[in-house]
Amino acid sequence: MYFKGESLFLRSSCQKEYKIPTPKRITSRIKLNKMYRSHTCGELRMQHVGQEITISGWVQASRDFGGMTFIDLRDRYGITQLVFDMEDDDALCTQARKLGREFVVRVKGLVRERTNKNPNRATGDIEIEVKEMDVLNASKVPPFTIEEDTDGGDDLRMKYRYLDLRRGPVQANIIFRSKLALATRSYLGGQGFIEVETPFLIKSTPEGARDFVVPSRMNGGQFYALPQSPQTFKQLLMVSGFDKYFQIVKCFRDEDLRADRQPEFTQIDCEMSFVTQEQILQTFEGLTKNLFKETIGVELPDFPRMNYDEAMRRFGSDKPDMRFGMEFVELNDVAQGKNFVVFDKAELVVGICAEGQAGMTRKQVDGLTDWVKRPQIGAKGLVYIKFNEDGSLKSSIGKFFSEDELRAWGERFGAKPGDMVFILAGETDKTRKQLNELRLELGRRLGLMKEGDFKPLWVVDFPLLEWDEDSNRFHAMHHPFTSPKKEDVERMLTGDHETMKSLRADAYDLVINGSEIGGGSIRIHDRALQARNFKLLGFTPEEAEEQFGFLMGAFEYGAPPHGGIAFGFDRLCAVMNGQASIRDFIAFPKNNQGRDMMIDAPAAVDGAQLEELQIKLDLKES
Ligand code: ASP
């Protein structure tokens, strides 16, 4: 039931009440068309032996043993073995021998017990003695094998995505996604949230990425932008009085595609009015726990919380993977002033302890040193202290520090005999980032990120602003509609760099196993404060009015206090299934160049279409 009899109000001058009817339950039984199927390829068991059935599906494999031909018939529910016996029906058996992989057939036959049972298959106890067969469609030989593990490379799988989607693991992911979406709707619906669709053809919303733009034929020379998120619309819905909104919605961001990003992706987008940050965290912790329980049967404990500064200090990341420890230990006070120039000139000296790794060979340590020195990580070097099993100690900085000193450092890490400490030094932010990478790499190499282990964490109290070296100005760390903490409002316009950096926001992220699953904030709902924030971000009043006049205008008509969050739906699917890539949770994804290999998009459009859009192309040779 979606609304549990709760009545919802639309805002109107007479405050008339509109009752929303409760939808009827839809039964989930699969009704099969008897002509093609009395059963699916996944459901026949011993109890069906002796029954005459009809099934349809794709030829997965065929085995020809002279007098007998066996065919594995597949649909999305499973695989059933068909038997054709030459002695029973010569013509039918000959026809079966000619079937190629992925032919589509319908068969009528008798369910019988198998002599040679297959315990690895749900239908492995039975087989179908085929009496009649229709070839519903032939198939070319597929370009890759349609099996659990395929021999198809990425590009080929993308080009023939409709075939890749026939493979069990990909199909399971897409089915999981559907289940998760339904569970989300059911839970949020049950909590009184209403799903509202917001437009795709909008004006740009700055969320840190480039917009995809769409030319308008009817308004020559003007462009819509595709939403990076429905942020401003959901805030306007709060002004309208829909105090609990959600939407499972596509968002579009024209970013350089770093690994595993998609230019279009899906969010569970949510907003609430008259709530504190605490209520928002509780509500969406509730959603997350419910989704884990309903879809994968995992009961999550209450989510711990950590503020941003602490996360950076202890893990060098605002999305720490809490499945393992290896926390940072800062060493400035003991490592500096001892004439080791690398440490002396560093802003931060910081290390981690890898349990049981003292046995690493020289070569392995050199390998790890090269790994942190790669340009992607950018460390200058890697210092180690080995606390050997036999009680001895070996370190790359043994010349500069006495054994007693290094043992005292070891105590800070809680290092035991057999452990290895790694230390990096340099500028604070960079060094933390590098050590975070090293921590994660060691976590991976040492198998500390265990499958099926889920460690959620709320990271709270994010900075309001972030300094951007390239553009030499501050950007909103979350987005420009995020509210500063009450106690920081007064300090917002002091203008001094360090103060700006120290401003904190009511902004939070949900992190699971080191992935950012959701992020949100309490919003500004006051025109003057919003204008002040735009000023901080370098907008002139005219620019702010031009781009966001509609929102600031709405704030003047009784905007309620509000806040919300958005979950990355594709990423949530992947994390819940312990998979690194979101791509196979999207039915038709783009490749790393943002291309759809199957339909070959993007593509040029013809001249007449451009003319109609009043667009002249002047493409530079590349
Ligand atoms: N619109 C934000 C985003 O896409 C989420 C939010 O603040 O609710 O990250």
Side-chain angles (χ1 to χ4, degrees):
M1 205 191 296
Y2 283 90
F3 298 113
K4 284 209 172 129
E6 188 175 327
S7 51
L8 299 160
F9 296 90
L10 297 181
R11 260 185 141 189
S12 71
S13 54
C14 61
Q15 293 297 5
K16 187 169 156 205
E17 186 178 328
Y18 294 87
K19 284 240 165 30
I20 294 170
T22 310
K24 287 214 181 70
R25 263 185 200 288
I26 300 165
T27 57
S28 63
R29 275 208 54 236
I30 312 150
K31 289 217 179 75
L32 299 175
N33 180 332
K34 287 274 170 38
M35 184 174 106
Y36 287 115
R37 313 195 268 186
S38 62
H39 295 83
T40 69
C41 294
E43 67 174 308
L44 295 170
R45 303 283 186 275
M46 283 300 287
Q47 80 213 51
H48 299 99
V49 168
Q51 287 185 19
E52 184 165 281
I53 53 90
T54 307
I55 54 177
S56 296
W58 288 261
V59 172
Q60 171 83 25
S62 84
R63 292 174 297 279
D64 188 357
F65 294 110
M68 297 263 241
T69 296
F70 294 93
I71 301 264
D72 284 344
L73 198 66
R74 183 198 72 234
D75 65 11
R76 84 163 159 98
Y77 306 92
I79 295 181
T80 299
Q81 175 164 291
L82 312 177
V83 200
F84 299 80
D85 194 337
M86 192 83 113
E87 281 185 9
D88 288 348
D89 190 333
D90 195 7
L92 191 61
C93 197
T94 311
Q95 199 190 0
R97 280 181 177 174
K98 290 192 192 138
L99 294 176
R101 276 197 282 149
E102 302 305 314
F103 274 48
V104 188
V105 298
R106 171 183 56 179
V107 296
K108 209 177 207 175
L110 215 57
V111 183
R112 73 180 194 202
E113 185 172 0
R114 270 168 79 159
T115 41
N116 200 356
K117 296 193 172 155
N118 178 353
N120 301 322
R121 201 175 267 177
T123 62
D125 286 350
I126 57 96
E127 61 193 4
I128 311 300
E129 193 181 312
V130 179
K131 304 289 182 201
E132 279 173 39
M133 175 169 74
D134 292 313
V135 176
L136 302 174
N137 215 338
S139 169
K140 290 207 227 168
V141 175
F144 48 82
T145 52
I146 303 202
E147 280 164 14
E148 298 264 305
D149 288 317
T150 179
D151 55 357
D154 271 1
D155 282 359
L156 206 58
R157 288 177 50 207
M158 289 289 175
K159 183 162 157 69
Y160 296 94
R161 184 63 169 175
Y162 50 89
L163 295 181
D164 199 28
L165 284 169
R166 283 187 191 165
R167 296 195 307 115
V170 189
Q171 216 161 70
N173 286 351
I174 300 298
I175 293 168
F176 176 84
R177 182 187 177 103
S178 162
K179 210 168 153 188
L180 193 66
L182 292 173
T184 304
R185 290 202 161 92
S186 157
Y187 183 84
L188 291 176
Q191 301 284 319
F193 280 78
I194 2 180
E195 188 167 13
V196 184
E197 287 171 277
T198 50
F200 279 172
L201 296 176
I202 66 163
K203 203 161 93 169
S204 142
T205 351
E207 300 225 22
R210 268 186 218 100
D211 291 316
F212 280 101
V213 294
V214 180
S216 163
R217 180 183 55 82
M218 288 193 286
N219 303 275
Q222 294 189 330
F223 297 82
Y224 300 102
L226 298 180
Q228 294 185 32
S229 88
Q231 185 61 39
T232 51
F233 288 96
K234 67 174 173 176
Q235 293 193 238
L236 292 172
L237 285 170
M238 294 304 110
V239 180
S240 303
F242 294 95
D243 62 355
K244 289 175 166 183
Y245 143 94
F246 87 103
Q247 184 180 192
I248 299 183
V249 63
K250 272 288 175 75
C251 301
F252 306 86
R253 296 184 188 176
D254 187 5
E255 289 171 295
D256 292 332
L257 298 181
R258 277 183 274 144
D260 210 36
R261 289 253 178 129
Q262 287 282 316
E264 50 178 306
F265 60 96
T266 303
Q267 286 187 342
I268 309 172
D269 189 44
C270 309
E271 197 76 6
M272 300 170 84
S273 293
F274 307 116
V275 281
T276 57
Q277 169 170 313
E278 183 57 35
Q279 284 166 300
I280 294 180
L281 299 191
Q282 292 287 345
T283 303
F284 294 101
E285 188 165 320
L287 169 68
T288 312
K289 283 179 178 170
N290 179 272
L291 295 179
F292 270 77
K293 183 144 184 279
E294 291 297 314
T295 57
I296 55 170
V298 169
E299 302 250 8
L300 294 176
D302 288 346
F303 301 1
R305 299 185 188 177
M306 192 183 290
N307 71 38
Y308 173 89
D309 288 338
E310 188 183 340
M312 296 309 288
R313 212 171 352 98
R314 287 173 57 190
F315 299 96
S317 166
D318 58 2
K319 45 177 188 306
D321 190 328
M322 304 299 285
R323 283 175 295 180
F324 62 102
M326 254 195 246
E327 286 194 26
F328 290 15
V329 172
E330 300 190 354
L331 297 166
N332 288 35
D333 58 330
V334 283
Q336 294 185 314
K338 299 283 162 79
N339 293 326
F340 180 45
V341 66
V342 175
F343 285 176
D344 284 350
K345 64 176 204 273
E347 200 180 344
L348 179 70
V349 182
V350 59
I352 50 177
C353 177
E355 248 176 79
Q357 293 307 305
M360 272 196 188
T361 61
R362 177 76 214 217
K363 206 166 150 209
Q364 286 171 317
V365 175
D366 287 349
L368 212 52
T369 309
D370 291 342
W371 189 88
V372 294
K373 283 162 94 175
R374 291 177 319 149
Q376 299 94 308
I377 312 287
K380 295 259 167 10
L382 181 64
V383 167
Y384 69 85
I385 314 172
K386 268 186 188 183
F387 295 90
N388 291 321
E389 287 282 6
D390 64 5
S392 66
L393 179 149
K394 189 167 178 350
S395 171
S396 52
I397 48 169
K399 265 194 271 169
F400 301 93
F401 301 92
S402 72
E403 197 167 316
D404 283 349
E405 280 174 307
L406 296 179
R407 283 196 191 282
W409 297 13
E411 267 166 41
R412 286 199 179 183
F413 289 91
K416 304 176 301 304
D419 292 351
M420 170 91 114
V421 163
F422 291 109
I423 300 167
L424 292 177
E427 195 248 303
T428 303
D429 293 350
K430 283 192 186 142
T431 308
R432 282 183 173 157
K433 257 199 198 123
Q434 293 158 359
L435 194 61
N436 165 50
E437 296 292 345
L438 178 63
R439 173 179 176 269
L440 293 175
E441 178 65 13
L442 286 170
R444 271 188 291 271
R445 290 191 191 182
L446 305 177
L448 302 176
M449 298 158 164
K450 297 225 172 56
E451 212 179 295
D453 185 15
F454 296 103
K455 287 278 155 30
L457 173 75
W458 285 113
V459 179
V460 298
D461 299 346
F462 272 80
L464 183 69
L465 306 169
E466 178 176 43
W467 180 251
D468 181 52
E469 296 281 347
D470 296 336
S471 57
N472 212 26
R473 64 186 189 85
F474 281 103
H475 287 288
M477 186 124 179
H478 187 50
H479 51 54
F481 317 108
T482 293
S483 175
K485 289 202 167 290
K486 263 208 184 75
E487 59 272 24
D488 283 354
V489 170
E490 285 317 312
R491 300 194 300 136
M492 274 173 80
L493 286 186
T494 55
D496 136 69
H497 192 93
E498 284 312 306
T499 310
M500 304 263 277
K501 266 171 80 174
S502 73
L503 297 173
R504 286 293 174 267
D506 283 324
Y508 34 81
D509 273 358
L510 174 61
V511 177
I512 302 179
N513 294 356
S515 279
E516 185 194 325
I517 293 296
S521 60
I522 295 292
R523 326 296 184 189
I524 296 169
H525 64 281
D526 168 78
R527 185 185 173 113
L529 186 57
Q530 186 66 68
R532 190 188 283 196
N533 204 33
F534 280 133
K535 187 164 178 206
L536 268 190
L537 296 169
F539 286 74
T540 64
E542 294 72 30
E543 283 166 346
E545 184 56 37
E546 219 250 329
Q547 288 188 49
F548 300 108
F550 66 96
L551 185 68
M552 294 200 286
F555 287 172
E556 293 179 294
Y557 288 96
H562 61 282
I565 190 167
F567 287 68
F569 187 64
D570 317 279
R571 169 107 12 243
L572 180 60
C573 288
V575 167
M576 288 178 85
N577 286 281
Q579 294 186 24
S581 169
I582 62 172
R583 205 187 269 182
D584 278 343
F585 288 90
I586 298 173
F588 298 103
K590 309 269 187 287
N591 75 3
N592 283 346
Q593 278 75 48
R595 297 199 70 83
D596 184 320
M597 302 286 284
M598 185 179 64
I599 58 172
D600 197 19
V605 295
D606 73 31
Q609 204 172 350
L610 286 178
E611 208 165 295
E612 204 172 41
L613 294 167
Q614 303 179 44
I615 292 178
K616 273 211 185 72
L617 290 187
D618 180 17
L619 292 180
K620 308 243 166 1
E621 293 281 324
S622 61

